[in-house]
mmCIF file of all heavy atoms in Angstrom:
data_model
loop_
_atom_site.group_PDB
_atom_site.id
_atom_site.type_symbol
_atom_site.label_atom_id
_atom_site.label_comp_id
_atom_site.label_asym_id
_atom_site.label_seq_id
_atom_site.Cartn_x
_atom_site.Cartn_y
_atom_site.Cartn_z
ATOM 1 N N ILE A 309 17.702 37.182 12.399
ATOM 2 C CA ILE A 309 17.655 36.727 11.015
ATOM 3 C C ILE A 309 16.801 37.588 10.103
ATOM 4 O O ILE A 309 16.960 37.555 8.884
ATOM 5 C CB ILE A 309 17.176 35.255 10.959
ATOM 6 C CG1 ILE A 309 17.471 34.623 9.605
ATOM 7 C CG2 ILE A 309 15.694 35.164 11.302
ATOM 8 C CD1 ILE A 309 18.926 34.496 9.275
ATOM 9 N N ASP A 310 15.905 38.417 10.662
ATOM 10 C CA ASP A 310 15.011 39.189 9.793
ATOM 11 C C ASP A 310 14.438 40.375 10.559
ATOM 12 O O ASP A 310 14.008 40.232 11.709
ATOM 13 C CB ASP A 310 13.871 38.288 9.292
ATOM 14 C CG ASP A 310 12.908 39.010 8.377
ATOM 15 O OD1 ASP A 310 13.279 39.261 7.212
ATOM 16 O OD2 ASP A 310 11.791 39.321 8.827
ATOM 17 N N ASN A 311 14.413 41.529 9.906
ATOM 18 C CA ASN A 311 13.861 42.729 10.535
ATOM 19 C C ASN A 311 12.372 42.600 10.816
ATOM 20 O O ASN A 311 11.866 43.108 11.824
ATOM 21 C CB ASN A 311 14.102 43.949 9.636
ATOM 22 C CG ASN A 311 15.481 44.557 9.862
ATOM 23 O OD1 ASN A 311 16.152 44.239 10.831
ATOM 24 N ND2 ASN A 311 15.887 45.432 8.956
ATOM 25 N N GLY A 312 11.639 41.951 9.918
ATOM 26 C CA GLY A 312 10.210 41.792 10.130
ATOM 27 C C GLY A 312 9.906 40.945 11.354
ATOM 28 O O GLY A 312 8.988 41.253 12.120
ATOM 29 N N LEU A 313 10.694 39.885 11.552
ATOM 30 C CA LEU A 313 10.524 39.046 12.736
ATOM 31 C C LEU A 313 10.793 39.859 13.994
ATOM 32 O O LEU A 313 10.054 39.777 14.982
ATOM 33 C CB LEU A 313 11.466 37.843 12.662
ATOM 34 C CG LEU A 313 11.304 36.779 13.741
ATOM 35 C CD1 LEU A 313 9.962 36.072 13.609
ATOM 36 C CD2 LEU A 313 12.441 35.755 13.660
ATOM 37 N N LEU A 314 11.837 40.669 13.957
ATOM 38 C CA LEU A 314 12.150 41.550 15.082
ATOM 39 C C LEU A 314 10.996 42.501 15.369
ATOM 40 O O LEU A 314 10.593 42.685 16.522
ATOM 41 C CB LEU A 314 13.405 42.366 14.762
ATOM 42 C CG LEU A 314 14.732 41.905 15.350
ATOM 43 C CD1 LEU A 314 15.862 42.757 14.805
ATOM 44 C CD2 LEU A 314 14.701 41.971 16.861
ATOM 45 N N ASN A 315 10.455 43.086 14.322
ATOM 46 C CA ASN A 315 9.386 44.066 14.479
ATOM 47 C C ASN A 315 8.111 43.429 15.024
ATOM 48 O O ASN A 315 7.371 44.045 15.793
ATOM 49 C CB ASN A 315 9.089 44.738 13.131
ATOM 50 C CG ASN A 315 8.173 45.926 13.272
ATOM 51 O OD1 ASN A 315 8.301 46.724 14.191
ATOM 52 N ND2 ASN A 315 7.227 46.034 12.360
ATOM 53 N N ALA A 316 7.852 42.169 14.638
ATOM 54 C CA ALA A 316 6.646 41.486 15.105
ATOM 55 C C ALA A 316 6.735 41.098 16.576
ATOM 56 O O ALA A 316 5.716 40.975 17.253
ATOM 57 C CB ALA A 316 6.400 40.235 14.258
ATOM 58 N N ILE A 317 7.963 40.916 17.070
ATOM 59 C CA ILE A 317 8.160 40.498 18.462
ATOM 60 C C ILE A 317 8.426 41.687 19.375
ATOM 61 O O ILE A 317 7.956 41.749 20.503
ATOM 62 C CB ILE A 317 9.333 39.492 18.560
ATOM 63 C CG1 ILE A 317 9.076 38.288 17.647
ATOM 64 C CG2 ILE A 317 9.538 39.033 19.999
ATOM 65 C CD1 ILE A 317 7.762 37.585 17.891
ATOM 66 N N ASP A 318 9.177 42.665 18.872
ATOM 67 C CA ASP A 318 9.538 43.838 19.665
ATOM 68 C C ASP A 318 9.014 45.078 18.944
ATOM 69 O O ASP A 318 9.624 45.567 18.004
ATOM 70 C CB ASP A 318 11.071 43.915 19.817
ATOM 71 C CG ASP A 318 11.519 45.110 20.642
ATOM 72 O OD1 ASP A 318 10.654 45.840 21.156
ATOM 73 O OD2 ASP A 318 12.741 45.308 20.774
ATOM 74 N N TYR A 319 7.863 45.577 19.377
ATOM 75 C CA TYR A 319 7.209 46.666 18.652
ATOM 76 C C TYR A 319 8.011 47.970 18.703
ATOM 77 O O TYR A 319 7.810 48.856 17.877
ATOM 78 C CB TYR A 319 5.796 46.881 19.194
ATOM 79 C CG TYR A 319 4.905 45.697 18.953
ATOM 80 C CD1 TYR A 319 4.531 44.860 19.998
ATOM 81 C CD2 TYR A 319 4.461 45.396 17.673
ATOM 82 C CE1 TYR A 319 3.715 43.754 19.765
ATOM 83 C CE2 TYR A 319 3.647 44.299 17.425
ATOM 84 C CZ TYR A 319 3.281 43.477 18.478
ATOM 85 O OH TYR A 319 2.493 42.388 18.238
ATOM 86 N N LYS A 320 8.918 48.119 19.654
ATOM 87 C CA LYS A 320 9.757 49.312 19.709
ATOM 88 C C LYS A 320 10.771 49.325 18.573
ATOM 89 O O LYS A 320 11.302 50.360 18.206
ATOM 90 C CB LYS A 320 10.491 49.375 21.049
ATOM 91 C CG LYS A 320 9.579 49.555 22.255
ATOM 92 C CD LYS A 320 10.390 49.580 23.546
ATOM 93 C CE LYS A 320 9.489 49.718 24.767
ATOM 94 N NZ LYS A 320 10.254 49.686 26.023
ATOM 95 N N PHE A 321 11.056 48.122 18.019
ATOM 96 C CA PHE A 321 12.082 48.029 16.990
ATOM 97 C C PHE A 321 11.735 48.855 15.756
ATOM 98 O O PHE A 321 12.617 49.402 15.099
ATOM 99 C CB PHE A 321 12.291 46.562 16.589
ATOM 100 C CG PHE A 321 13.278 46.381 15.468
ATOM 101 C CD1 PHE A 321 14.634 46.493 15.703
ATOM 102 C CD2 PHE A 321 12.843 46.123 14.181
ATOM 103 C CE1 PHE A 321 15.542 46.342 14.667
ATOM 104 C CE2 PHE A 321 13.745 45.972 13.142
ATOM 105 C CZ PHE A 321 15.100 46.076 13.395
ATOM 106 N N SER A 322 10.445 48.947 15.438
ATOM 107 C CA SER A 322 10.035 49.662 14.221
ATOM 108 C C SER A 322 10.421 51.135 14.259
ATOM 109 O O SER A 322 10.514 51.779 13.218
ATOM 110 C CB SER A 322 8.526 49.519 14.006
ATOM 111 O OG SER A 322 7.818 50.095 15.097
ATOM 112 N N ASP A 323 10.657 51.672 15.441
ATOM 113 C CA ASP A 323 11.028 53.074 15.564
ATOM 114 C C ASP A 323 12.537 53.290 15.567
ATOM 115 O O ASP A 323 13.003 54.421 15.644
ATOM 116 C CB ASP A 323 10.442 53.666 16.856
ATOM 117 C CG ASP A 323 8.921 53.607 16.880
ATOM 118 O OD1 ASP A 323 8.319 53.797 15.806
ATOM 119 O OD2 ASP A 323 8.358 53.356 17.959
ATOM 120 N N ASP A 324 13.299 52.204 15.507
ATOM 121 C CA ASP A 324 14.756 52.294 15.595
ATOM 122 C C ASP A 324 15.369 52.087 14.211
ATOM 123 O O ASP A 324 15.781 50.983 13.855
ATOM 124 C CB ASP A 324 15.286 51.264 16.590
ATOM 125 C CG ASP A 324 16.705 51.587 17.052
ATOM 126 O OD1 ASP A 324 17.439 52.211 16.264
ATOM 127 O OD2 ASP A 324 17.067 51.218 18.176
ATOM 128 N N THR A 325 15.427 53.155 13.422
ATOM 129 C CA THR A 325 15.949 53.073 12.063
ATOM 130 C C THR A 325 17.412 52.657 12.062
ATOM 131 O O THR A 325 17.861 51.924 11.176
ATOM 132 C CB THR A 325 15.791 54.420 11.344
ATOM 133 O OG1 THR A 325 14.425 54.827 11.407
ATOM 134 C CG2 THR A 325 16.207 54.321 9.890
ATOM 135 N N SER A 326 18.163 53.104 13.051
ATOM 136 C CA SER A 326 19.575 52.774 13.129
ATOM 137 C C SER A 326 19.790 51.261 13.219
ATOM 138 O O SER A 326 20.630 50.695 12.526
ATOM 139 C CB SER A 326 20.211 53.468 14.336
ATOM 140 O OG SER A 326 21.566 53.121 14.467
ATOM 141 N N LYS A 327 19.004 50.604 14.070
ATOM 142 C CA LYS A 327 19.121 49.147 14.213
ATOM 143 C C LYS A 327 18.741 48.433 12.919
ATOM 144 O O LYS A 327 19.411 47.506 12.476
ATOM 145 C CB LYS A 327 18.228 48.653 15.350
ATOM 146 C CG LYS A 327 18.865 48.669 16.724
ATOM 147 C CD LYS A 327 17.998 47.895 17.705
ATOM 148 C CE LYS A 327 18.656 47.814 19.070
ATOM 149 N NZ LYS A 327 17.879 46.967 20.004
ATOM 150 N N SER A 328 17.604 48.843 12.329
ATOM 151 C CA SER A 328 17.132 48.156 11.130
ATOM 152 C C SER A 328 18.125 48.322 9.983
ATOM 153 O O SER A 328 18.326 47.407 9.181
ATOM 154 C CB SER A 328 15.754 48.665 10.721
ATOM 155 O OG SER A 328 15.774 50.046 10.436
ATOM 156 N N LEU A 329 18.790 49.487 9.916
ATOM 157 C CA LEU A 329 19.792 49.746 8.889
ATOM 158 C C LEU A 329 20.987 48.813 9.071
ATOM 159 O O LEU A 329 21.446 48.163 8.121
ATOM 160 C CB LEU A 329 20.236 51.206 8.987
ATOM 161 C CG LEU A 329 20.913 51.829 7.772
ATOM 162 C CD1 LEU A 329 19.894 52.055 6.671
ATOM 163 C CD2 LEU A 329 21.551 53.164 8.156
ATOM 164 N N GLU A 330 21.493 48.725 10.293
ATOM 165 C CA GLU A 330 22.653 47.874 10.561
ATOM 166 C C GLU A 330 22.312 46.402 10.363
ATOM 167 O O GLU A 330 23.122 45.628 9.849
ATOM 168 C CB GLU A 330 23.178 48.126 11.974
ATOM 169 C CG GLU A 330 24.506 47.430 12.246
ATOM 170 C CD GLU A 330 25.112 47.804 13.586
ATOM 171 O OE1 GLU A 330 24.831 48.904 14.085
ATOM 172 O OE2 GLU A 330 25.873 46.974 14.131
ATOM 173 N N GLN A 331 21.098 46.019 10.770
ATOM 174 C CA GLN A 331 20.642 44.649 10.548
ATOM 175 C C GLN A 331 20.652 44.320 9.055
ATOM 176 O O GLN A 331 21.092 43.249 8.640
ATOM 177 C CB GLN A 331 19.214 44.490 11.086
ATOM 178 C CG GLN A 331 19.114 44.152 12.552
ATOM 179 C CD GLN A 331 19.041 42.660 12.767
ATOM 180 O OE1 GLN A 331 19.668 42.140 13.683
ATOM 181 N NE2 GLN A 331 18.319 41.955 11.927
ATOM 182 N N ALA A 332 20.140 45.245 8.239
ATOM 183 C CA ALA A 332 20.056 45.014 6.796
ATOM 184 C C ALA A 332 21.436 44.841 6.179
ATOM 185 O O ALA A 332 21.639 43.980 5.311
ATOM 186 C CB ALA A 332 19.309 46.161 6.123
ATOM 187 N N VAL A 333 22.401 45.648 6.623
ATOM 188 C CA VAL A 333 23.764 45.538 6.092
ATOM 189 C C VAL A 333 24.391 44.209 6.509
ATOM 190 O O VAL A 333 25.015 43.514 5.700
ATOM 191 C CB VAL A 333 24.622 46.732 6.552
ATOM 192 C CG1 VAL A 333 26.089 46.522 6.158
ATOM 193 C CG2 VAL A 333 24.095 48.029 5.950
ATOM 194 N N TYR A 334 24.222 43.840 7.776
ATOM 195 C CA TYR A 334 24.769 42.567 8.251
ATOM 196 C C TYR A 334 24.221 41.395 7.429
ATOM 197 O O TYR A 334 24.979 40.541 6.950
ATOM 198 C CB TYR A 334 24.433 42.362 9.729
ATOM 199 C CG TYR A 334 24.760 40.965 10.216
ATOM 200 C CD1 TYR A 334 26.049 40.645 10.644
ATOM 201 C CD2 TYR A 334 23.801 39.954 10.216
ATOM 202 C CE1 TYR A 334 26.366 39.365 11.060
ATOM 203 C CE2 TYR A 334 24.113 38.671 10.633
ATOM 204 C CZ TYR A 334 25.396 38.380 11.053
ATOM 205 O OH TYR A 334 25.700 37.099 11.447
ATOM 206 N N LEU A 335 22.903 41.344 7.264
ATOM 207 C CA LEU A 335 22.285 40.223 6.565
ATOM 208 C C LEU A 335 22.700 40.177 5.100
ATOM 209 O O LEU A 335 22.899 39.092 4.536
ATOM 210 C CB LEU A 335 20.763 40.303 6.685
ATOM 211 C CG LEU A 335 20.220 40.053 8.095
ATOM 212 C CD1 LEU A 335 18.738 40.437 8.180
ATOM 213 C CD2 LEU A 335 20.409 38.592 8.500
ATOM 214 N N GLU A 336 22.894 41.347 4.479
ATOM 215 C CA GLU A 336 23.337 41.364 3.087
ATOM 216 C C GLU A 336 24.777 40.869 2.970
ATOM 217 O O GLU A 336 25.115 40.137 2.027
ATOM 218 C CB GLU A 336 23.202 42.772 2.508
ATOM 219 C CG GLU A 336 23.582 42.883 1.038
ATOM 220 C CD GLU A 336 22.704 42.035 0.122
ATOM 221 O OE1 GLU A 336 21.557 41.719 0.496
ATOM 222 O OE2 GLU A 336 23.180 41.700 -0.983
ATOM 223 N N LEU A 337 25.625 41.234 3.907
ATOM 224 C CA LEU A 337 26.996 40.734 3.899
ATOM 225 C C LEU A 337 27.015 39.211 4.041
ATOM 226 O O LEU A 337 27.813 38.523 3.397
ATOM 227 C CB LEU A 337 27.805 41.386 5.023
ATOM 228 C CG LEU A 337 28.175 42.855 4.815
ATOM 229 C CD1 LEU A 337 28.728 43.459 6.111
ATOM 230 C CD2 LEU A 337 29.211 43.005 3.692
ATOM 231 N N LYS A 338 26.128 38.672 4.864
ATOM 232 C CA LYS A 338 26.046 37.211 5.015
ATOM 233 C C LYS A 338 25.531 36.568 3.737
ATOM 234 O O LYS A 338 26.007 35.500 3.336
ATOM 235 C CB LYS A 338 25.148 36.861 6.203
ATOM 236 C CG LYS A 338 25.676 37.307 7.548
ATOM 237 C CD LYS A 338 26.992 36.626 7.900
ATOM 238 C CE LYS A 338 26.823 35.167 8.227
ATOM 239 N NZ LYS A 338 28.087 34.536 8.681
ATOM 240 N N ARG A 339 24.544 37.190 3.084
ATOM 241 C CA ARG A 339 24.064 36.647 1.805
ATOM 242 C C ARG A 339 25.186 36.619 0.775
ATOM 243 O O ARG A 339 25.244 35.717 -0.063
ATOM 244 C CB ARG A 339 22.914 37.502 1.256
ATOM 245 C CG ARG A 339 21.594 37.316 1.962
ATOM 246 C CD ARG A 339 20.472 38.029 1.220
ATOM 247 N NE ARG A 339 19.332 38.197 2.111
ATOM 248 C CZ ARG A 339 19.111 39.259 2.860
ATOM 249 N NH1 ARG A 339 19.959 40.276 2.809
ATOM 250 N NH2 ARG A 339 18.062 39.318 3.649
ATOM 251 N N ARG A 340 26.048 37.610 0.820
ATOM 252 C CA ARG A 340 27.168 37.671 -0.121
ATOM 253 C C ARG A 340 28.325 36.775 0.316
ATOM 254 O O ARG A 340 29.391 36.811 -0.285
ATOM 255 C CB ARG A 340 27.637 39.122 -0.259
ATOM 256 C CG ARG A 340 26.579 40.031 -0.878
ATOM 257 C CD ARG A 340 27.048 41.492 -0.935
ATOM 258 N NE ARG A 340 25.986 42.366 -1.423
ATOM 259 C CZ ARG A 340 26.112 43.679 -1.598
ATOM 260 N NH1 ARG A 340 27.268 44.275 -1.309
ATOM 261 N NH2 ARG A 340 25.094 44.401 -2.044
ATOM 262 N N GLU A 341 28.094 36.005 1.362
ATOM 263 C CA GLU A 341 29.054 35.016 1.877
ATOM 264 C C GLU A 341 30.381 35.662 2.272
ATOM 265 O O GLU A 341 31.460 35.112 2.049
ATOM 266 C CB GLU A 341 29.274 33.902 0.855
ATOM 267 C CG GLU A 341 27.995 33.148 0.528
ATOM 268 C CD GLU A 341 28.222 31.987 -0.427
ATOM 269 O OE1 GLU A 341 29.200 32.031 -1.214
ATOM 270 O OE2 GLU A 341 27.429 31.038 -0.389
ATOM 271 N N LYS A 342 30.284 36.842 2.875
ATOM 272 C CA LYS A 342 31.474 37.535 3.352
ATOM 273 C C LYS A 342 31.870 37.026 4.738
ATOM 274 O O LYS A 342 31.008 36.727 5.571
ATOM 275 C CB LYS A 342 31.218 39.046 3.426
ATOM 276 C CG LYS A 342 30.862 39.689 2.087
ATOM 277 C CD LYS A 342 32.013 39.669 1.112
ATOM 278 C CE LYS A 342 31.683 40.457 -0.149
ATOM 279 N NZ LYS A 342 32.807 40.450 -1.123
ATOM 280 N N ASP A 343 33.163 36.948 4.970
ATOM 281 C CA ASP A 343 33.704 36.609 6.282
ATOM 282 C C ASP A 343 33.842 37.921 7.047
ATOM 283 O O ASP A 343 34.697 38.745 6.721
ATOM 284 C CB ASP A 343 35.050 35.910 6.116
ATOM 285 C CG ASP A 343 35.692 35.534 7.446
ATOM 286 O OD1 ASP A 343 34.994 35.610 8.490
ATOM 287 O OD2 ASP A 343 36.886 35.173 7.457
ATOM 288 N N ILE A 344 32.993 38.125 8.047
ATOM 289 C CA ILE A 344 32.946 39.434 8.691
ATOM 290 C C ILE A 344 33.117 39.330 10.209
ATOM 291 O O ILE A 344 32.858 38.293 10.817
ATOM 292 C CB ILE A 344 31.618 40.177 8.386
ATOM 293 C CG1 ILE A 344 30.403 39.334 8.805
ATOM 294 C CG2 ILE A 344 31.533 40.539 6.914
ATOM 295 C CD1 ILE A 344 29.072 40.051 8.627
ATOM 296 N N CYS A 345 33.567 40.428 10.795
ATOM 297 C CA CYS A 345 33.599 40.595 12.249
ATOM 298 C C CYS A 345 33.554 42.096 12.513
ATOM 299 O O CYS A 345 33.458 42.885 11.578
ATOM 300 C CB CYS A 345 34.838 39.944 12.868
ATOM 301 S SG CYS A 345 36.383 40.327 12.053
ATOM 302 N N PHE A 346 33.575 42.498 13.781
ATOM 303 C CA PHE A 346 33.579 43.932 14.060
ATOM 304 C C PHE A 346 34.917 44.310 14.691
ATOM 305 O O PHE A 346 35.618 43.469 15.259
ATOM 306 C CB PHE A 346 32.392 44.360 14.929
ATOM 307 C CG PHE A 346 32.448 43.934 16.374
ATOM 308 C CD1 PHE A 346 32.955 44.783 17.346
ATOM 309 C CD2 PHE A 346 31.962 42.691 16.768
ATOM 310 C CE1 PHE A 346 32.999 44.405 18.682
ATOM 311 C CE2 PHE A 346 31.997 42.302 18.100
ATOM 312 C CZ PHE A 346 32.519 43.160 19.062
ATOM 313 N N PHE A 347 35.257 45.579 14.549
ATOM 314 C CA PHE A 347 36.542 46.093 15.059
ATOM 315 C C PHE A 347 36.270 47.011 16.239
ATOM 316 O O PHE A 347 35.365 47.846 16.201
ATOM 317 C CB PHE A 347 37.263 46.871 13.957
ATOM 318 C CG PHE A 347 38.464 47.634 14.432
ATOM 319 C CD1 PHE A 347 39.685 46.995 14.631
ATOM 320 C CD2 PHE A 347 38.382 48.997 14.703
ATOM 321 C CE1 PHE A 347 40.795 47.702 15.080
ATOM 322 C CE2 PHE A 347 39.482 49.709 15.152
ATOM 323 C CZ PHE A 347 40.693 49.049 15.339
ATOM 324 N N LYS A 348 37.042 46.827 17.289
ATOM 325 C CA LYS A 348 36.906 47.702 18.443
ATOM 326 C C LYS A 348 38.254 47.857 19.125
ATOM 327 O O LYS A 348 38.871 46.877 19.539
ATOM 328 C CB LYS A 348 35.880 47.141 19.432
ATOM 329 C CG LYS A 348 35.581 48.088 20.592
ATOM 330 C CD LYS A 348 34.494 47.529 21.488
ATOM 331 C CE LYS A 348 34.169 48.492 22.620
ATOM 332 N NZ LYS A 348 33.143 47.938 23.531
ATOM 333 N N ASP A 349 38.693 49.111 19.200
ATOM 334 C CA ASP A 349 39.894 49.436 19.962
ATOM 335 C C ASP A 349 39.556 50.688 20.770
ATOM 336 O O ASP A 349 38.727 50.638 21.663
ATOM 337 C CB ASP A 349 41.076 49.645 19.020
ATOM 338 C CG ASP A 349 42.407 49.666 19.757
ATOM 339 O OD1 ASP A 349 42.427 49.398 20.978
ATOM 340 O OD2 ASP A 349 43.428 49.965 19.121
ATOM 341 N N LYS A 350 40.165 51.820 20.444
ATOM 342 C CA LYS A 350 39.745 53.070 21.081
ATOM 343 C C LYS A 350 38.365 53.476 20.554
ATOM 344 O O LYS A 350 37.558 54.047 21.266
ATOM 345 C CB LYS A 350 40.778 54.172 20.815
ATOM 346 C CG LYS A 350 42.151 53.925 21.426
ATOM 347 C CD LYS A 350 43.080 55.091 21.160
ATOM 348 C CE LYS A 350 44.477 54.842 21.726
ATOM 349 N NZ LYS A 350 45.164 53.713 21.037
#
Side-chain angles (χ1 to χ4, degrees):
I309 196 64
D310 180 74
N311 275 347
L313 187 66
L314 260 174
N315 190 41
I317 303 305
D318 180 4
Y319 295 107
K320 295 179 182 178
F321 176 76
S322 62
D323 299 323
D324 198 331
T325 306
S326 178
K327 272 192 176 185
S328 60
L329 200 72
E330 189 173 334
Q331 274 267 139
V333 172
Y334 170 85
L335 291 168
E336 183 62 24
L337 287 169
K338 295 297 289 185
R339 285 189 198 92
R340 295 177 185 181
E341 299 183 334
K342 299 293 187 180
D343 179 12
I344 56 176
C345 48
F346 72 95
F347 170 80
K348 186 176 182 182
D349 193 7
K350 296 182 182 65

